[in-house]
Amino acid sequence: MGIRFILMVNKQGQTRLAQYFEYLTIDQRRALEGEIVRKCLARNEQQCSFVEHRNYKIVYRRYASLFFLVGVDNEENELAILEFIHLLVETMDRHFGNVCELDIMFHLEKAHFMLEEMVMNGCIVETSKSNILAPIQLMDKAS
Amino acid sequence: MALSGMRGLSVFISDIRNCQNKEQERLRVDKELGNIRTRFKNEKGLTPYEKKKYVWKMLYIYMLGYDVDFGHMEAVSLISAPKYPEKQVGYIVTSSLLNENHDFLRLAINTVRNDIVGRNETFQCLALTLVGNIGGRDFAESLAPDVQKLLISSSCRPLVRKKAALCLLRLFRKNPDVVNIDGWSDRMAQLLDERDLGVLTSSMSLFVALVSNNHESYWSCLPKCVKTLERLARNQDIPQEYTYYGIPSPWLQVKTMRALQYFPTIEDPNTRRSLFEVLQRVLMGTDVVKNVNKNNASHAVLFEALALNDLTTNFLLQTLRLYREVCSRYVDVILQLIDKAGDFVSDDIWFRVVQFVTNNEDLQPYAALKAREYLDKPAIHETMVKVSAYLLGEYSHLLARRPGCSPKEIFSIIHEKLPTVSTSTIPILLSTYVKILMHSQPPEPELQNQIWAIFSKYESCIDAEIQQRAVEYFALSRKGAALMDILAEMPKFPERQDPLWKQSSLIKKAEDTEADTAEQSAIKLRAQQQSSNALVVTDQSPANGTPRVSQLSLVKMPSMSSEDHNTAEQGVTQANGTLSVVDPQPSSSSPGLLGDLLAIEGPPGVAVESEHNLVSGSEGASDALALAPVGEQTNTVQPIGDIAERFNTLCLKDSGVLYEDPYVQIGIKAEWRAHHGRLVLFLGNKNTAPLVSVQALILPPTHLRLELSLVPDTIPPRAQVQCPLEVVNIRPSRDVAVLDFSYRFGNNVVNVKLRLPAVLNKFLQPIPVSAEEFFPQWRSLSGPPLKLQEVVRGVRPMSLMEMSSLFNSFRLMVCPGLDPNANNLVASTTFYSESTRAMLCLVRVETDPADRSQLRMTVASGDPTLTFELKEFIKEQLVSIPTALRPLAPVPTPQAQPTTSPAAVSSDPGAMLAGLL
């Protein structure tokens, strides 16, 4: 199935965005996020960007204060996911200009719109930044 | 911080952010939840804008990890809002908060459907995304046709179609029946022609899911995938927006390669060639660059291509015989593979290169040249050092006239690598040195001294393998031209065996044989016999007349000093003496000996010959060959080809060569009818002088009646005589008839004992049975001794398909479909003998897909002996004989069997066979 969830977590461990492509109860989510955040935030820059946790592989990348963590199943190509994270960040950057944690925090809905254009049902839908941003730009114009 | 006009939401987020601790956060969240709850409950006239604001707050709270167990209705109701902003929020929040089992979701199904079939494409996108993310079975049934329509519609824009593709994927997973395979394979193939890369990316994900479920139905899509890869690899018609750091959509490339991995082979040569070019481009184009993102993306593609490598390797092995020009590319690609990703290349891959080059003469200069080129690189992977050193040791003399390829230059460039390699590589390098020396006869004194100095240095190495090679090569290389014999190129590898066998033989070849070639210590021989290597090595007699690299031919070398002889003799004596102590269980005392021996597929005679060669210079040496009457003979004539392999082939075929040496060829042709057989032996004299004292005796097992017509005493020059042999099968048995054949040519007396392919399966007649015939029979044969069951372990790895064809080749007819379990196999046949007459035999094999090394076999027939013999026969075909069994045959010591005289031996066909083996 590919991507199981996408998390954005700051270095204090606060979740800034969570998108799941499989159903977990709120308790399960809380437990899982806690485990993953503890595991990944404790790692240093020299360590590998791929960590196995439970039945997931976590592919993560850090941008300033924000960690992007993507949980995938064993079928995924980790390097491709690692670069998909970067594509997501570049897309946000194109929209917000020098994107930072606050942009994502206060424009939660836009972050969700972008993700929705990029991933569906755990699969990558679109990798062209202009196509991803087109609906948001339309909305911005309308309002 | 004001955003999207939802001030309340911003304020709330700020408040949360300013909370000092978790407790404060909880209080603020509870307060907000209370507020939202009251609003939803009391104020019926909530505007869509207000609803939108509140459901975003709910989503935010949910994301923080608090349960939100109300307001779902409000979120779902927003889906029906007429305006886009509210509708969008409704869809997104609904798909975040709810799952497919929520009842509220069912309420929305009509609205969702209206949005999907409506004309507003932004609404279509929202609805398709929701269904794609959380749609359940009821969605699958009611929406699949509409979604399919959108996906293949020519009037629909890509932004809708790409979502329809992944929406359909979700519905397919919920209920595979919604995709009607018959119609879809063609549509899927059309979809893969898509120009728009967004639609293509989504469609490829859909395709991977379909093809992983059932690749058979989607063969027509395979060329399309390869075309897509070609388009991407060549960067044709790829909009700038879809290139990522100069790489055309790495994600689509990865996905497409993933799809290809579900196809076991590629049959169309053009498609195969195209894919090959793509892979080559990927391999060549991947370099380490400074930009991390580009690096990662290109390596993501590279690793996916490596996974595909198996597919290409397999098909290459099959087709390279036909496509000579591709040969060099194969070597190219594997060498590139080692170069780029040495850590991912297991030993068997480079063994395969060696094997491949060894078996393809036209490739040898090319491979040597390539190996030479790689050595020029500043830093190369250790595997590359191994494969290059091996190839150059064997074939660098083919390059001698090229610049930089003199023996001396080759030696220096390889020797440069020695300090950087691990202990396991050094033996290979030492072999290369001695081969270089051998190829430069007469050697340059300077090179020779250099190499000798290295051998001397390693003579005291702590690693036994290195030490031994150093000592032996040093001694050998002082023998001058005599080296040619022993260090000649490796013979070709037998093609017939399964890949695993090839690999293991390759390991032996690459690592043992070289050492064994130089083997002159009988103590080592004993060690080998005990550890079973000796026979494995001698198994590999050359199949094509290349110079025989006999393990111990060294002893025959005329230039050998008498000192060496003495050492060898002492060694032998000592070895024999020690053996009786060390190995007090003579194999002859084992009741299962005959069975074991019969099962061994090793060539009869070969092992014995080796021993014979070993001791030919020493008196009383025939003692060492207690079980081997062949020791009486003074055979110096070597057979051409592998006798055992010829026998095995003839067990399956009815005509072919049974035996060949430089003077004579024995061909065979057979016809079988029920329990009768008629074999014709074709004895051909290959020379211009007559063969005299020709004798052919048949040593029949008790279950066969054999009558050989008169064999003439002399075969004239270049003539062939035909000797018919009548066979009658009396009762079921796996024993084998033996032909004792001898002749004289000049001073050579040659005597060989050959198994005759009048074996059990020749008396089988395949017969198809229907379920109506099979089951009553099967049930009526209710148990032992007519129906025997056994769990067979140590089964050679093979697929069910391979097993079926193996059975069919032994005239057991596999009846597909009789057994409801696809992992089982049912076969039937009729066996003919005088005692049993025509008798139906039924076989059932139950395999475990998780463990191919074992299976349960049940054999049934109307005769207990037949059931038992047939069961054992099939077992022998299925089981790989562990090599540890092999030394049993030649090792028996004189002390253990002091009374065995040649006469006694020849009276008993079983013992005769033991001698043969």
Side-chain angles (χ1 to χ4, degrees), chain B residues 255-303:
Chain B
K255 215 30 151 203
T256 312
M257 289 180 184
R258 188 57 62 95
L260 284 174
Q261 287 163 28
Y262 287 103
F263 292 96
T265 55
I266 301 177
E267 271 158 21
D268 173 48
N270 290 329
T271 309
R272 206 154 52 200
R273 193 187 304 250
S274 303
L275 175 61
F276 197 77
E277 276 168 16
V278 169
L279 294 183
Q280 197 178 26
R281 208 178 266 261
V282 169
L283 287 171
M284 306 240 301
T286 308
D287 251 324
V288 178
V289 292
K290 269 199 173 158
N291 183 298
V292 177
N293 302 106
K294 181 172 184 167
N295 244 354
N296 287 341
S298 63
H299 282 83
V301 175
L302 176 69
F303 290 146

Short mmCIF file of all heavy atoms in Angstrom, two decimals, chain B residues 255-303:
data_model
loop_
_atom_site.label_atom_id
_atom_site.label_comp_id
_atom_site.label_asym_id
_atom_site.label_seq_id
_atom_site.Cartn_x
_atom_site.Cartn_y
_atom_site.Cartn_z
N LYS B 255 8.16 3.24 -9.54
CA LYS B 255 6.88 2.54 -9.58
C LYS B 255 6.80 1.60 -10.79
O LYS B 255 6.32 0.47 -10.70
CB LYS B 255 5.78 3.59 -9.65
CG LYS B 255 4.45 3.38 -8.97
CD LYS B 255 4.40 2.58 -7.76
CE LYS B 255 3.33 2.93 -6.79
NZ LYS B 255 3.59 2.52 -5.43
N THR B 256 7.27 2.10 -11.92
CA THR B 256 7.20 1.29 -13.13
C THR B 256 8.10 0.07 -13.03
O THR B 256 7.72 -1.04 -13.42
CB THR B 256 7.60 2.15 -14.35
OG1 THR B 256 6.89 3.38 -14.29
CG2 THR B 256 7.25 1.46 -15.64
N MET B 257 9.28 0.27 -12.48
CA MET B 257 10.17 -0.87 -12.31
C MET B 257 9.57 -1.87 -11.33
O MET B 257 9.71 -3.08 -11.49
CB MET B 257 11.53 -0.41 -11.80
CG MET B 257 12.33 0.33 -12.85
SD MET B 257 13.91 0.85 -12.21
CE MET B 257 14.56 1.77 -13.59
N ARG B 258 8.88 -1.33 -10.33
CA ARG B 258 8.22 -2.22 -9.37
C ARG B 258 7.18 -3.10 -10.08
O ARG B 258 7.07 -4.29 -9.84
CB ARG B 258 7.58 -1.36 -8.27
CG ARG B 258 7.00 -2.11 -7.10
CD ARG B 258 8.01 -2.99 -6.40
NE ARG B 258 9.15 -2.31 -5.82
CZ ARG B 258 9.22 -1.92 -4.56
NH1 ARG B 258 8.20 -2.11 -3.76
NH2 ARG B 258 10.31 -1.35 -4.09
N ALA B 259 6.44 -2.45 -10.99
CA ALA B 259 5.42 -3.21 -11.73
C ALA B 259 6.07 -4.33 -12.53
O ALA B 259 5.58 -5.46 -12.55
CB ALA B 259 4.65 -2.27 -12.65
N LEU B 260 7.20 -4.03 -13.15
CA LEU B 260 7.88 -5.03 -13.98
C LEU B 260 8.36 -6.23 -13.17
O LEU B 260 8.45 -7.34 -13.66
CB LEU B 260 9.07 -4.41 -14.70
CG LEU B 260 8.72 -3.53 -15.90
CD1 LEU B 260 9.96 -2.85 -16.44
CD2 LEU B 260 8.07 -4.37 -16.99
N GLN B 261 8.64 -5.97 -11.90
CA GLN B 261 9.15 -7.06 -11.06
C GLN B 261 8.12 -8.17 -10.86
O GLN B 261 8.47 -9.27 -10.45
CB GLN B 261 9.60 -6.53 -9.70
CG GLN B 261 10.91 -5.74 -9.80
CD GLN B 261 11.15 -4.87 -8.59
OE1 GLN B 261 10.70 -5.18 -7.50
NE2 GLN B 261 11.88 -3.78 -8.77
N TYR B 262 6.87 -7.89 -11.15
CA TYR B 262 5.86 -8.92 -10.98
C TYR B 262 5.79 -9.88 -12.16
O TYR B 262 5.12 -10.90 -12.11
CB TYR B 262 4.48 -8.30 -10.72
CG TYR B 262 4.39 -7.72 -9.34
CD1 TYR B 262 4.49 -6.35 -9.12
CD2 TYR B 262 4.24 -8.56 -8.24
CE1 TYR B 262 4.43 -5.82 -7.84
CE2 TYR B 262 4.18 -8.04 -6.96
CZ TYR B 262 4.27 -6.68 -6.76
OH TYR B 262 4.22 -6.18 -5.50
N PHE B 263 6.48 -9.54 -13.24
CA PHE B 263 6.49 -10.45 -14.37
C PHE B 263 7.70 -11.37 -14.27
O PHE B 263 8.82 -10.90 -14.10
CB PHE B 263 6.54 -9.67 -15.69
CG PHE B 263 5.28 -8.90 -15.96
CD1 PHE B 263 5.18 -7.57 -15.62
CD2 PHE B 263 4.19 -9.53 -16.54
CE1 PHE B 263 4.02 -6.85 -15.85
CE2 PHE B 263 3.03 -8.82 -16.78
CZ PHE B 263 2.94 -7.48 -16.44
N PRO B 264 7.47 -12.68 -14.36
CA PRO B 264 8.59 -13.60 -14.18
C PRO B 264 9.62 -13.53 -15.32
O PRO B 264 10.81 -13.67 -15.08
CB PRO B 264 7.94 -14.98 -14.13
CG PRO B 264 6.58 -14.82 -14.72
CD PRO B 264 6.19 -13.39 -14.55
N THR B 265 9.17 -13.33 -16.52
CA THR B 265 10.11 -13.25 -17.64
C THR B 265 9.59 -12.24 -18.64
O THR B 265 8.45 -11.80 -18.56
CB THR B 265 10.23 -14.58 -18.41
OG1 THR B 265 8.92 -14.96 -18.81
CG2 THR B 265 10.87 -15.66 -17.59
N ILE B 266 10.43 -11.91 -19.57
CA ILE B 266 9.99 -11.07 -20.69
C ILE B 266 10.26 -11.87 -21.94
O ILE B 266 11.41 -12.19 -22.24
CB ILE B 266 10.75 -9.75 -20.72
CG1 ILE B 266 10.52 -9.00 -19.41
CG2 ILE B 266 10.32 -8.91 -21.90
CD1 ILE B 266 11.29 -7.71 -19.33
N GLU B 267 9.22 -12.22 -22.65
CA GLU B 267 9.42 -13.13 -23.77
C GLU B 267 9.81 -12.42 -25.05
O GLU B 267 10.63 -12.92 -25.81
CB GLU B 267 8.18 -13.99 -23.97
CG GLU B 267 8.27 -15.26 -23.15
CD GLU B 267 6.93 -15.89 -22.87
OE1 GLU B 267 5.99 -15.60 -23.63
OE2 GLU B 267 6.83 -16.66 -21.90
N ASP B 268 9.23 -11.27 -25.27
CA ASP B 268 9.49 -10.59 -26.54
C ASP B 268 10.91 -10.02 -26.56
O ASP B 268 11.27 -9.21 -25.71
CB ASP B 268 8.47 -9.47 -26.74
CG ASP B 268 8.81 -8.63 -27.94
OD1 ASP B 268 9.07 -9.23 -29.00
OD2 ASP B 268 8.85 -7.40 -27.83
N PRO B 269 11.72 -10.44 -27.53
CA PRO B 269 13.12 -10.01 -27.53
C PRO B 269 13.29 -8.50 -27.65
O PRO B 269 14.22 -7.92 -27.08
CB PRO B 269 13.73 -10.72 -28.72
CG PRO B 269 12.63 -11.38 -29.45
CD PRO B 269 11.42 -11.38 -28.59
N ASN B 270 12.38 -7.85 -28.39
CA ASN B 270 12.53 -6.39 -28.55
C ASN B 270 12.29 -5.67 -27.24
O ASN B 270 13.02 -4.76 -26.87
CB ASN B 270 11.56 -5.88 -29.61
CG ASN B 270 11.98 -6.34 -30.99
OD1 ASN B 270 13.17 -6.50 -31.25
ND2 ASN B 270 11.01 -6.59 -31.84
N THR B 271 11.23 -6.10 -26.54
CA THR B 271 10.94 -5.49 -25.24
C THR B 271 12.10 -5.71 -24.29
O THR B 271 12.52 -4.82 -23.55
CB THR B 271 9.67 -6.13 -24.64
OG1 THR B 271 8.64 -6.07 -25.62
CG2 THR B 271 9.23 -5.41 -23.41
N ARG B 272 12.63 -6.93 -24.36
CA ARG B 272 13.72 -7.29 -23.48
C ARG B 272 14.93 -6.40 -23.75
O ARG B 272 15.56 -5.87 -22.86
CB ARG B 272 14.08 -8.74 -23.76
CG ARG B 272 14.71 -9.46 -22.64
CD ARG B 272 14.43 -10.93 -22.77
NE ARG B 272 14.77 -11.44 -24.08
CZ ARG B 272 14.28 -12.56 -24.57
NH1 ARG B 272 13.43 -13.27 -23.86
NH2 ARG B 272 14.62 -12.98 -25.75
N ARG B 273 15.17 -6.22 -25.03
CA ARG B 273 16.31 -5.40 -25.40
C ARG B 273 16.12 -3.96 -24.92
O ARG B 273 17.03 -3.33 -24.41
CB ARG B 273 16.48 -5.43 -26.92
CG ARG B 273 17.79 -4.88 -27.41
CD ARG B 273 17.75 -4.81 -28.91
NE ARG B 273 17.46 -6.12 -29.48
CZ ARG B 273 18.36 -6.85 -30.14
NH1 ARG B 273 19.57 -6.39 -30.30
NH2 ARG B 273 18.04 -8.03 -30.63
N SER B 274 14.88 -3.46 -25.10
CA SER B 274 14.61 -2.09 -24.68
C SER B 274 14.84 -1.93 -23.18
O SER B 274 15.47 -0.99 -22.72
CB SER B 274 13.16 -1.70 -24.98
OG SER B 274 12.90 -1.86 -26.33
N LEU B 275 14.30 -2.90 -22.42
CA LEU B 275 14.45 -2.82 -20.98
C LEU B 275 15.92 -2.87 -20.62
O LEU B 275 16.40 -2.15 -19.74
CB LEU B 275 13.71 -3.97 -20.30
CG LEU B 275 13.90 -4.04 -18.78
CD1 LEU B 275 13.38 -2.78 -18.11
CD2 LEU B 275 13.21 -5.26 -18.19
N PHE B 276 16.62 -3.72 -21.33
CA PHE B 276 18.04 -3.86 -21.05
C PHE B 276 18.76 -2.54 -21.25
O PHE B 276 19.60 -2.13 -20.45
CB PHE B 276 18.60 -4.93 -21.98
CG PHE B 276 19.90 -5.42 -21.50
CD1 PHE B 276 19.95 -6.32 -20.45
CD2 PHE B 276 21.08 -4.96 -22.05
CE1 PHE B 276 21.16 -6.78 -19.98
CE2 PHE B 276 22.28 -5.41 -21.58
CZ PHE B 276 22.33 -6.32 -20.54
N GLU B 277 18.39 -1.86 -22.33
CA GLU B 277 19.02 -0.57 -22.60
C GLU B 277 18.71 0.44 -21.50
O GLU B 277 19.57 1.21 -21.09
CB GLU B 277 18.58 -0.04 -23.96
CG GLU B 277 19.41 -0.61 -25.07
CD GLU B 277 18.81 -0.35 -26.45
OE1 GLU B 277 17.91 0.53 -26.55
OE2 GLU B 277 19.22 -1.02 -27.40
N VAL B 278 17.45 0.39 -21.05
CA VAL B 278 17.06 1.31 -19.97
C VAL B 278 17.90 1.04 -18.74
O VAL B 278 18.46 1.96 -18.13
CB VAL B 278 15.55 1.15 -19.64
CG1 VAL B 278 15.23 1.90 -18.36
CG2 VAL B 278 14.71 1.65 -20.79
N LEU B 279 17.99 -0.24 -18.39
CA LEU B 279 18.74 -0.58 -17.18
C LEU B 279 20.20 -0.18 -17.32
O LEU B 279 20.82 0.32 -16.38
CB LEU B 279 18.63 -2.08 -16.90
CG LEU B 279 17.23 -2.57 -16.57
CD1 LEU B 279 17.25 -4.05 -16.25
CD2 LEU B 279 16.64 -1.81 -15.41
N GLN B 280 20.70 -0.37 -18.52
CA GLN B 280 22.08 -0.01 -18.73
C GLN B 280 22.28 1.50 -18.58
O GLN B 280 23.23 1.96 -17.96
CB GLN B 280 22.51 -0.45 -20.12
CG GLN B 280 24.01 -0.48 -20.26
CD GLN B 280 24.42 -0.95 -21.63
OE1 GLN B 280 23.67 -0.80 -22.60
NE2 GLN B 280 25.60 -1.51 -21.72
N ARG B 281 21.32 2.23 -19.10
CA ARG B 281 21.37 3.68 -18.99
C ARG B 281 21.35 4.09 -17.52
O ARG B 281 22.08 4.98 -17.10
CB ARG B 281 20.17 4.27 -19.71
CG ARG B 281 20.36 5.64 -20.26
CD ARG B 281 19.08 6.04 -20.98
NE ARG B 281 19.15 5.74 -22.40
CZ ARG B 281 19.45 6.67 -23.30
NH1 ARG B 281 19.74 7.89 -22.93
NH2 ARG B 281 19.46 6.37 -24.58
N VAL B 282 20.49 3.42 -16.77
CA VAL B 282 20.38 3.73 -15.34
C VAL B 282 21.71 3.45 -14.64
O VAL B 282 22.22 4.26 -13.88
CB VAL B 282 19.25 2.92 -14.68
CG1 VAL B 282 19.31 3.03 -13.17
CG2 VAL B 282 17.90 3.40 -15.19
N LEU B 283 22.28 2.29 -14.97
CA LEU B 283 23.52 1.91 -14.32
C LEU B 283 24.66 2.86 -14.70
O LEU B 283 25.44 3.28 -13.87
CB LEU B 283 23.91 0.49 -14.73
CG LEU B 283 23.07 -0.61 -14.11
CD1 LEU B 283 23.41 -1.94 -14.74
CD2 LEU B 283 23.31 -0.68 -12.61
N MET B 284 24.69 3.19 -16.00
CA MET B 284 25.79 4.04 -16.45
C MET B 284 25.61 5.46 -15.96
O MET B 284 26.57 6.15 -15.67
CB MET B 284 25.83 4.07 -17.98
CG MET B 284 25.90 2.70 -18.60
SD MET B 284 27.35 2.50 -19.58
CE MET B 284 27.17 3.79 -20.79
N GLY B 285 24.34 5.87 -15.94
CA GLY B 285 24.07 7.28 -15.64
C GLY B 285 24.14 7.61 -14.16
O GLY B 285 24.08 8.78 -13.78
N THR B 286 24.20 6.60 -13.32
CA THR B 286 24.19 6.88 -11.90
C THR B 286 25.61 7.12 -11.40
O THR B 286 26.43 6.22 -11.41
CB THR B 286 23.56 5.72 -11.12
OG1 THR B 286 22.30 5.43 -11.71
CG2 THR B 286 23.37 6.07 -9.67
N ASP B 287 25.85 8.32 -11.02
CA ASP B 287 27.15 8.64 -10.48
C ASP B 287 26.95 9.38 -9.18
O ASP B 287 25.90 9.95 -8.94
CB ASP B 287 27.92 9.52 -11.47
CG ASP B 287 29.04 8.73 -12.10
OD1 ASP B 287 29.63 7.90 -11.37
OD2 ASP B 287 29.31 8.95 -13.29
N VAL B 288 27.96 9.35 -8.36
CA VAL B 288 27.84 10.09 -7.11
C VAL B 288 28.11 11.56 -7.41
O VAL B 288 29.16 11.90 -7.96
CB VAL B 288 28.82 9.55 -6.08
CG1 VAL B 288 28.72 10.34 -4.80
CG2 VAL B 288 28.52 8.09 -5.81
N VAL B 289 27.13 12.39 -7.11
CA VAL B 289 27.30 13.82 -7.35
C VAL B 289 27.18 14.56 -6.03
O VAL B 289 26.83 13.97 -5.01
CB VAL B 289 26.23 14.36 -8.34
CG1 VAL B 289 26.45 13.78 -9.71
CG2 VAL B 289 24.84 14.05 -7.84
N LYS B 290 27.47 15.85 -6.07
CA LYS B 290 27.48 16.60 -4.82
C LYS B 290 26.08 16.80 -4.26
O LYS B 290 25.87 16.76 -3.06
CB LYS B 290 28.13 17.97 -5.06
CG LYS B 290 29.63 17.94 -4.80
CD LYS B 290 30.15 19.34 -4.57
CE LYS B 290 31.59 19.32 -4.14
NZ LYS B 290 32.27 20.59 -4.41
N ASN B 291 25.13 17.05 -5.15
CA ASN B 291 23.79 17.36 -4.67
C ASN B 291 23.13 16.15 -4.05
O ASN B 291 22.92 15.11 -4.70
CB ASN B 291 22.95 17.87 -5.84
CG ASN B 291 21.58 18.28 -5.39
OD1 ASN B 291 20.81 17.47 -4.88
ND2 ASN B 291 21.28 19.55 -5.54
N VAL B 292 22.79 16.27 -2.78
CA VAL B 292 22.25 15.14 -2.03
C VAL B 292 20.93 14.66 -2.63
O VAL B 292 20.69 13.46 -2.76
CB VAL B 292 22.03 15.54 -0.56
CG1 VAL B 292 21.38 14.39 0.20
CG2 VAL B 292 23.33 15.93 0.08
N ASN B 293 20.07 15.62 -3.01
CA ASN B 293 18.76 15.24 -3.51
C ASN B 293 18.85 14.49 -4.82
O ASN B 293 18.19 13.48 -5.02
CB ASN B 293 17.89 16.48 -3.68
CG ASN B 293 17.75 17.22 -2.36
OD1 ASN B 293 18.36 18.26 -2.18
ND2 ASN B 293 17.02 16.63 -1.45
N LYS B 294 19.72 14.97 -5.68
CA LYS B 294 19.89 14.30 -6.96
C LYS B 294 20.46 12.90 -6.73
O LYS B 294 20.02 11.92 -7.32
CB LYS B 294 20.83 15.11 -7.85
CG LYS B 294 21.03 14.46 -9.18
CD LYS B 294 21.79 15.31 -10.16
CE LYS B 294 21.81 14.56 -11.49
NZ LYS B 294 22.25 15.38 -12.58
N ASN B 295 21.44 12.84 -5.84
CA ASN B 295 22.04 11.56 -5.49
C ASN B 295 21.01 10.56 -5.02
O ASN B 295 20.94 9.43 -5.49
CB ASN B 295 23.00 11.79 -4.33
CG ASN B 295 24.41 11.48 -4.73
OD1 ASN B 295 24.64 10.99 -5.83
ND2 ASN B 295 25.33 11.76 -3.86
N ASN B 296 20.21 11.00 -4.05
CA ASN B 296 19.20 10.10 -3.50
C ASN B 296 18.23 9.65 -4.56
O ASN B 296 17.88 8.47 -4.65
CB ASN B 296 18.41 10.81 -2.39
CG ASN B 296 19.24 10.97 -1.14
OD1 ASN B 296 20.24 10.28 -0.96
ND2 ASN B 296 18.84 11.88 -0.28
N ALA B 297 17.77 10.60 -5.36
CA ALA B 297 16.76 10.27 -6.36
C ALA B 297 17.32 9.29 -7.37
O ALA B 297 16.67 8.31 -7.73
CB ALA B 297 16.27 11.54 -7.04
N SER B 298 18.56 9.54 -7.83
CA SER B 298 19.10 8.63 -8.83
C SER B 298 19.37 7.26 -8.23
O SER B 298 19.20 6.24 -8.89
CB SER B 298 20.35 9.22 -9.48
OG SER B 298 21.35 9.38 -8.52
N HIS B 299 19.75 7.24 -6.97
CA HIS B 299 19.99 5.94 -6.35
C HIS B 299 18.70 5.20 -6.02
O HIS B 299 18.68 3.98 -6.02
CB HIS B 299 20.88 6.08 -5.12
CG HIS B 299 22.32 6.26 -5.48
ND1 HIS B 299 22.86 7.47 -5.83
CD2 HIS B 299 23.33 5.36 -5.62
CE1 HIS B 299 24.13 7.32 -6.15
NE2 HIS B 299 24.45 6.04 -6.02
N ALA B 300 17.65 5.96 -5.77
CA ALA B 300 16.34 5.31 -5.59
C ALA B 300 16.01 4.51 -6.85
O ALA B 300 15.59 3.36 -6.79
CB ALA B 300 15.25 6.35 -5.33
N VAL B 301 16.26 5.13 -8.00
CA VAL B 301 16.00 4.46 -9.27
C VAL B 301 16.97 3.30 -9.47
O VAL B 301 16.61 2.20 -9.86
CB VAL B 301 16.10 5.47 -10.44
CG1 VAL B 301 15.95 4.76 -11.77
CG2 VAL B 301 15.04 6.55 -10.29
N LEU B 302 18.23 3.56 -9.14
CA LEU B 302 19.26 2.52 -9.32
C LEU B 302 18.92 1.26 -8.52
O LEU B 302 18.98 0.15 -9.03
CB LEU B 302 20.62 3.05 -8.89
CG LEU B 302 21.76 2.03 -8.95
CD1 LEU B 302 22.11 1.67 -10.38
CD2 LEU B 302 23.01 2.54 -8.24
N PHE B 303 18.52 1.45 -7.27
CA PHE B 303 18.24 0.28 -6.43
C PHE B 303 17.04 -0.49 -6.95
O PHE B 303 17.00 -1.71 -6.90
CB PHE B 303 18.03 0.69 -4.97
CG PHE B 303 19.30 1.14 -4.32
CD1 PHE B 303 19.30 2.14 -3.37
CD2 PHE B 303 20.50 0.58 -4.68
CE1 PHE B 303 20.48 2.56 -2.78
CE2 PHE B 303 21.69 0.99 -4.10
CZ PHE B 303 21.67 1.99 -3.15
#
